[in-house]
Amino acid sequence: MRLAIFALLMAVLAFAYQGNAAEFTCNSDVPTESYSPEEQALVDTYWDEVLTYLGAYHAVLTQPSGRCLDSAEAVIQTYDGHTGTQQSRCIMRYSDVKQVMSHVKAVLDEPEKAKACFDPQKPDANPMLYTPSVTVQQSTKVSRWLNRPLLTDYYREMGGEVGQSGLELNKNFLEITTRTNALPHWPTDVSINGLPVLWSSVGWLPMYSKRPDAINKRFRGGYLYAEVMGPYGNLRIDTIDEEKVEAEIGLTVQLFNSAYPFHHHDPQEIYINLTLPKCVDQNTYALMHWDNPALIQERRNDGWAVHVDGASGAWKQWFRNLNTRTGWLAYIERNAIHAFFLKEGCNQTIENSGLVTSWARTTSRTSDQNTHICEPALAGGESMMPWTKGICHIRE
Ligand code: ZN
């Protein structure tokens, strides 16, 4: 009898285990490397911080905030032309976010399996991934071991206005990224203060440095992006239980006194502000659906030309202050038009001089992943500010 009960118990346990066990397949470009025990210890440290970040990311979106009882509340429009107010929604009600969260949860439930898809992205195979500066590189054992090329060298060589702002951002990367406050919404400090190995070891990309279509030179040099999980990140999972993994989760940094022009893209996006601003309107952003009545839509054969005209102070209605308590989370629907405007003001010093965010996209397999920057309405325009007339081409 005892044996029978034991056997039954084992069967129940085996069934329960199977119910939990997910099957992971990695992207085909994840290398199978063998590390020395010393190297393995460094890889393990890096992986631990990646897991902490993903765990905190899962918690921050699924825990109630604002008016939402079962999810975080996200701003989905900073200005709705129908109502004249900001618009928000419970973020977990979007199916793409829900799916990304279920995949992140699967990673957290079985980290050892997911770890097979973790790649520290050593520089010999990834020469296009950088570390901001020598100070950042020297700050942890893992970043010293990875020894990526430095963005300070990259921008020094580039020169010109883009090179200059790139140097300003990367030389001061630590000052800019440490003035953050992940609380009150995050369960742990996911900024560089709490996860120094992750921030110093992840591969940073000078995303707009060679993109003249982003117009603003100070912004083009003063912007960095890094991918932790996703098609170009450290954790590259192809499928979980035969379902394609669409998550793309990373980090961004933007230099003060710079304007990220209005832009849009097919994949939906999530931004969480981590910077503690020195004055209330230091960092601002605008987010509007392309069919927002505050904009002018013109039908074209292949979609819509959307005229964005922030002149005569209209832009001031659209842009909202970014802080870490309210308006800290934004969800960007497909082709929603958005921009980030960081002012020079409030006795700016380099120690408090940018915008640091946790960034994600939720449909990383959509065919068009490109970020489309809206064009200046007047050809040859040299800057794209919140008040500059622009045209965004939304394709169907
Ligand atoms: Zn975007």
Side-chain angles (χ1 to χ4, degrees):
M1 184 61 187
R2 259 189 208 169
L3 254 182
I5 291 172
F6 181 70
L8 185 70
L9 194 68
M10 291 310 285
V12 168
L13 279 175
F15 179 76
Y17 178 72
Q18 233 177 15
N20 244 334
E23 202 176 304
F24 290 73
T25 61
C26 306
N27 282 14
S28 57
D29 64 353
V30 175
T32 41
E33 289 216 43
S34 54
Y35 299 106
S36 69
E38 293 77 21
E39 284 183 319
Q40 189 60 54
L42 297 171
V43 175
D44 293 350
T45 310
Y46 192 175
W47 170 241
D48 283 349
E49 289 207 2
V50 166
L51 271 186
T52 305
Y53 180 45
L54 294 178
Y57 197 79
H58 185 271
V60 81
L61 292 194
T62 51
Q63 82 192 355
S65 74
R67 294 172 301 177
C68 300
L69 298 180
D70 57 353
S71 153
E73 184 184 37
V75 173
I76 62 165
Q77 292 203 96
T78 51
Y79 181 79
D80 176 359
H82 291 289
T83 60
T85 58
Q86 181 168 275
Q87 190 184 5
S88 59
R89 198 175 171 202
C90 306
I91 198 164
M92 290 298 291
R93 297 196 191 156
Y94 287 97
S95 59
D96 53 311
V97 179
K98 218 170 169 177
Q99 195 193 36
V100 161
M101 284 300 110
S102 82
H103 290 155
V104 170
K105 179 79 168 50
V107 169
L108 300 170
D109 285 346
E110 297 186 274
E112 280 311 312
K113 276 192 196 168
K115 197 178 180 183
C117 306
F118 177 70
D119 169 18
Q121 296 182 301
K122 286 171 78 177
D124 42 4
N126 301 273
M128 302 305 282
L129 298 177
Y130 294 84
T131 294
S133 70
V134 71
T135 328
V136 178
Q137 190 169 65
Q138 291 305 309
S139 65
T140 69
K141 274 187 191 168
V142 179
S143 50
R144 278 201 294 277
W145 166 63
L146 283 168
N147 195 27
R148 299 190 195 284
L150 301 179
L151 279 167
T152 42
D153 293 338
Y154 172 90
Y155 280 112
R156 201 170 283 121
E157 197 174 312
M158 177 172 277
E161 218 181 307
V162 176
Q164 211 174 6
S165 62
L167 263 180
E168 192 175 342
L169 172 60
N170 288 286
K171 270 186 180 171
N172 296 290
F173 184 89
L174 281 181
E175 287 79 353
I176 293 168
T177 53
T178 48
R179 195 179 161 82
T180 39
N181 180 13
L183 305 171
H185 298 289
W186 295 83
T188 45
D189 186 354
V190 294
S191 78
I192 194 167
N193 301 313
L195 302 175
V197 173
L198 174 66
W199 287 74
S200 61
S201 306
V202 71
W204 291 92
L205 282 162
M207 199 169 143
Y208 288 107
S209 60
K210 291 184 176 161
R211 278 192 56 178
D213 63 319
I215 312 275
N216 301 332
K217 290 188 173 136
R218 184 168 169 84
F219 161 73
R220 285 178 49 206
Y223 189 81
L224 291 178
Y225 143 75
E227 190 160 314
V228 179
M229 176 179 181
Y232 307 103
N234 299 112
L235 182 58
R236 302 196 295 282
I237 305 171
D238 185 34
T239 60
I240 297 178
D241 281 342
E242 291 177 17
E243 203 170 66
K244 285 283 184 189
V245 174
E246 302 261 6
E248 199 172 9
I249 301 174
L251 311 161
T252 74
V253 183
Q254 187 181 332
L255 183 64
F256 81 100
N257 190 18
S258 74
Y260 192 157
F262 283 107
H263 61 283
H264 58 93
H265 35 72
D266 261 13
Q268 301 89 334
E269 200 163 57
I270 303 166
Y271 271 102
I272 307 177
N273 170 43
L274 297 175
T275 292
L276 195 62
K278 210 167 188 176
C279 53
V280 286
D281 61 347
Q282 180 184 328
N283 294 334
T284 65
Y285 78 116
L287 166 59
M288 291 183 283
H289 296 157
W290 68 266
D291 55 357
N292 190 314
L295 312 173
I296 299 160
Q297 295 80 8
E298 191 191 324
R299 193 78 175 98
R300 294 276 168 92
N301 284 339
D302 60 346
W304 297 85
V306 179
H307 299 257
V308 180
D309 184 0
S312 311
W315 70 277
K316 289 181 185 167
Q317 278 190 310
W318 307 342
F319 280 74
R320 301 269 173 176
N321 301 331
L322 272 166
N323 66 46
T324 50
R325 290 193 173 269
T326 55
W328 55 285
L329 169 67
Y331 176 81
I332 292 149
E333 288 189 11
R334 179 154 286 165
N335 277 323
I337 294 168
H338 50 297
F340 293 87
F341 181 44
L342 280 49
K343 292 176 185 171
E344 190 174 18
C346 57
N347 300 319
Q348 196 59 254
T349 58
I350 199 72
E351 283 79 14
N352 176 23
S353 47
L355 175 65
V356 181
T357 78
S358 160
W359 168 97
R361 283 187 178 180
T362 56
T363 51
S364 69
R365 294 174 190 269
T366 300
S367 60
D368 182 7
Q369 290 290 323
N370 292 324
T371 295
H372 303 283
I373 307 272
C374 305
E375 291 168 11
L378 295 170
E382 294 226 325
S383 75
M384 277 293 272
M385 301 308 279
W387 49 88
T388 312
K389 283 186 190 179
I391 304 172
C392 313
H393 299 282
I394 306 289
R395 289 164 193 87
E396 282 171 330

